[in-house]
Amino acid sequence: MQNLKNLSRFSAESVKNEYGVAIGGGGPTGLMLAGELALAGVDVAIVERRTSQNLVGLRAGGLHSRTIEVLDQRGIASRFLSQGQVFQVVSFHMTPLDISDFPTRHNYLLQLWQNHIERILAEWVGELGVTMYRGREVTGFALSDTGVDVSLSDGQSLRAEYLVGCDGGRSLIRKAAGIEFPGWDATTSWLIAEVEMAQEPRWGFHQDAIGIHAIGKVENGASARIVLTEPQLRLDSEPTLRDVSEALFAIYGNDYGIHSPTWISRFTDVTRQAAAYRDRRVLLAGDAAHVHPPMGGQGLNIGVQDAVNLGWKLAQVVKRTSPESLLDTYHAERHPIAARVLQNTMAQVALRRPDDRTKALGDTVSELLSLDEPRRRLVAEMSGLGIHYDLGEGHPLLGRRMPDLDLVTSNGQLRVFTLLHDARPVLLNFGEPGSFDITRWADRVRSIDAEYAGIWELPALGAVTAPTAVLIRPDGYVAWVGDVTQAGLADALTTWFGPPAAA
């Protein structure tokens, strides 16, 4: 009943029209960002064109390790794990790559369709009291020195200090901001559908002179999901059941009596990335900032991770804890990550071409990935566990995810990720208790004396030297690594969490 009360606020008409942050788009990225901002005490509203969280059509199908870790950092990973299926592999060009030996509690891919992911995120965001304007879209905005006036499709308007476009690859917010979206035009298209079949099809993957195709069972057991490579690029019209039937006959020699489609769509390998993730008071995240083909299942994951990187930074700026320049680190850190994903997915599309020379190249790549070092490097990249933000020279931990260690503290045994549930930064001191003084940041940063006797191990890098202290950002990345001195700590605290309080 309490959840129903919380969710009812999602459908509420305008209670007010002024917010710290307005988010255009209530998909996984927008929901995650709203949750991050709400945890930080920022008043946030989502504008979502759908009248409910229901999602029609096949979208993302799983969560990678690092995404599960960030959900664990917020104490909600179990909600997703209880409803998905675990596979200890990631896939690159049809080649399964083992992730079971990676040093993380979540060394697997969680198969869970996007409709479930969104529903669970929406329930969480509802519990945090976020306002949702449903059945409406952002149609435009006007910037000023103090905020953004956001126009909605129902004639209403919102006022916010910042507007974040999480409104997909065709983002109106990105276009209205005049942010360029360079990249590569489509070269290949695929039909995708969920239908019922009168006959048993050839399940699984099938490769022929056209490309790679697949037919899989839907969770309800009565329908099938179909993905078919088209012989020529098609961009001209919305596909029909007849298009799917004809394509099945061309590929399988049988359309298996398809009927009663739930949905039919088409996707391509168009690949683009926003030239800037921020223009003054407008920011972009998720597909609004980057689009690419779905090979490897990375799109939803990097969108959620965009949100976790941006949320705490935007919150600190809105609350005047940090200067606006902190937002520049969002583009600096996340743009290179998406650029690598674009490169990765374009490579996978290229390897799917059906000619003999490409097949020879694909076979060679698969052979290389059977070797341990190439496997570990690629798995670290695709899973998100190998992300490294460039925070300068120093200890290997600097700019990387903090391992989820089992710590011994004065309050008993605690996991690192448990300390991040409230999305606040933490200074962990493994040296002499009380040896690091952060009194002037105590209103923002928690300081904990801890012990850990195990090995410090990072994905793809292996064991690293145990530090004396680490400063962990709310997104779980290490902002400073200390030895027995405090050298650089005050600078790191100021850079990431604002100037010190007055003495």
Side-chain angles (χ1 to χ4, degrees):
M1 183 61 70
Q2 185 62 43
N3 278 347
L4 290 175
K5 291 179 181 178
N6 288 327
L7 288 173
S8 68
R9 185 175 177 185
F10 264 40
S11 303
E13 293 301 314
S14 296
V15 177
K16 64 174 194 172
N17 65 354
E18 294 189 5
Y19 299 90
V21 178
I23 298 172
T29 302
L31 290 168
M32 192 72 206
L33 178 59
E36 293 291 290
L37 291 164
L39 282 173
V42 172
D43 203 0
V44 56
I46 299 175
V47 180
E48 167 57 37
R49 62 178 176 80
R50 289 173 291 169
T51 57
S52 73
Q53 205 62 48
N54 294 338
L55 188 65
V56 177
L58 178 65
R59 305 293 174 87
L63 298 174
H64 280 293
S65 292
R66 182 55 190 156
T67 307
I68 303 169
E69 283 194 341
V70 300
L71 296 171
D72 197 356
Q73 289 172 188
R74 299 300 177 256
I76 59 174
S78 61
R79 305 186 186 195
F80 300 85
L81 295 172
S82 66
Q83 299 189 36
Q85 187 173 0
V86 166
F87 295 92
Q88 287 190 305
V89 296
V90 300
S91 180
F92 181 89
H93 177 53
M94 310 292 289
T95 302
L97 305 175
D98 182 27
I99 193 175
S100 64
D101 59 347
F102 270 53
T104 170
R105 297 180 196 273
H106 305 292
N107 53 354
Y108 46 78
L109 173 75
L110 181 70
Q111 186 180 70
L112 186 66
W113 292 108
Q114 183 170 333
N115 59 324
H116 298 303
I117 294 170
E118 286 196 18
R119 173 178 50 78
I120 297 168
L121 283 174
E123 290 171 355
W124 174 59
V125 169
E127 292 164 11
L128 295 174
V130 172
T131 299
M132 176 80 83
Y133 292 88
R134 286 204 175 277
R136 284 163 268 196
E137 297 182 75
V138 173
T139 57
F141 57 85
L143 287 169
S144 70
D145 291 339
T146 58
V148 189
D149 291 301
V150 184
S151 300
L152 306 186
S153 56
D154 65 350
Q156 295 191 66
S157 64
L158 304 178
R159 174 77 175 174
E161 292 190 45
Y162 289 88
L163 171 65
V164 185
C166 300
D167 51 342
R170 297 183 177 89
S171 173
L172 182 145
I173 294 172
R174 185 191 65 238
K175 293 173 184 176
I179 296 174
E180 295 184 1
F181 203 41
W184 296 265
D185 292 334
T187 64
T188 305
S189 59
W190 290 264
L191 283 172
I192 186 168
E194 184 176 304
V195 298
E196 293 184 24
M197 292 182 163
Q199 304 170 35
E200 188 83 3
R202 186 191 305 180
W203 299 109
F205 289 97
H206 171 63
Q207 187 168 5
D208 61 11
I210 297 174
I212 298 174
H213 322 280
I215 303 176
K217 294 182 179 180
V218 178
E219 297 156 307
N220 62 21
S223 303
R225 287 193 178 103
I226 301 171
V227 182
L228 306 173
T229 307
E230 297 190 279
Q232 287 88 33
L233 175 66
R234 291 283 303 275
L235 301 171
D236 53 341
S237 64
E238 288 296 318
T240 65
L241 185 64
R242 181 174 179 178
D243 291 327
V244 179
S245 174
E246 290 176 350
L248 282 167
F249 267 116
I251 295 165
Y252 293 92
N254 191 339
D255 75 350
Y256 303 110
I258 60 170
H259 63 94
S260 305
T262 304
W263 50 266
I264 301 171
S265 188
R266 174 180 280 125
F267 70 93
T268 73
D269 64 336
V270 64
T271 304
R272 298 188 180 280
Q273 185 174 23
Y277 282 14
R278 175 186 170 220
D279 177 30
R280 293 166 289 176
R281 292 182 175 272
V282 178
L283 299 106
L284 304 175
D287 287 355
H290 39 73
V291 295
H292 53 84
M295 287 69 186
Q298 298 163 89
L300 180 151
N301 289 269
I302 62 170
V304 168
Q305 292 171 42
D306 284 347
V308 175
N309 184 284
L310 175 60
W312 64 275
K313 297 173 181 177
L314 188 53
Q316 289 182 179
V317 173
V318 169
K319 296 171 76 174
R320 311 294 189 269
T321 303
S322 294
E324 194 175 15
S325 58
L326 180 63
L327 297 178
D328 294 334
T329 67
Y330 169 59
H331 172 96
E333 293 181 350
R334 294 304 299 172
H335 194 277
I337 301 301
R340 286 292 299 177
V341 173
L342 266 59
Q343 183 181 43
N344 176 292
T345 55
M346 285 198 297
Q348 292 190 67
V349 170
L351 290 170
R352 287 185 175 224
R353 291 171 183 159
D355 62 273
D356 290 340
R357 287 176 173 81
T358 302
K359 185 178 184 303
L361 175 61
D363 291 343
T364 300
V365 169
S366 295
E367 289 175 10
L368 289 172
L369 292 177
S370 69
L371 303 176
D372 194 54
E373 181 63 18
R375 172 189 67 88
R376 291 179 66 84
R377 285 184 176 271
L378 191 56
V379 169
E381 180 177 315
M382 293 184 67
S383 67
L385 294 172
I387 289 174
H388 180 208
Y389 297 136
D390 185 5
L391 305 188
E393 297 295 323
H395 193 281
L397 277 167
L398 188 64
R400 297 185 187 273
R401 55 178 275 289
M402 176 67 185
D404 186 24
L405 309 177
D406 288 313
L407 306 174
V408 176
T409 74
S410 59
N411 293 321
Q413 186 166 304
L414 290 172
R415 291 170 50 202
V416 167
F417 286 3
T418 302
L419 300 174
L420 296 172
H421 283 185
D422 60 358
R424 288 185 58 201
V426 178
L427 175 69
L428 287 180
N429 170 34
F430 297 95
E432 187 68 24
S435 56
F436 292 91
D437 182 13
I438 61 166
T439 303
R440 297 177 70 187
W441 287 271
D443 59 327
R444 285 155 273 166
V445 183
R446 183 186 311 170
S447 180
I448 295 178
D449 296 324
E451 296 178 7
Y452 178 71
I455 297 172
W456 290 67
E457 189 175 4
L458 296 176
L461 291 184
V464 299
T465 303
T468 302
V470 289
L471 179 62
I472 309 169
R473 307 188 322 190
D475 57 359
Y477 289 84
V478 176
W480 173 84
V481 182
D483 50 25
V484 292
T485 72
Q486 291 201 180
L489 177 57
D491 287 342
L493 287 164
T494 301
T495 296
W496 296 110
F497 311 119

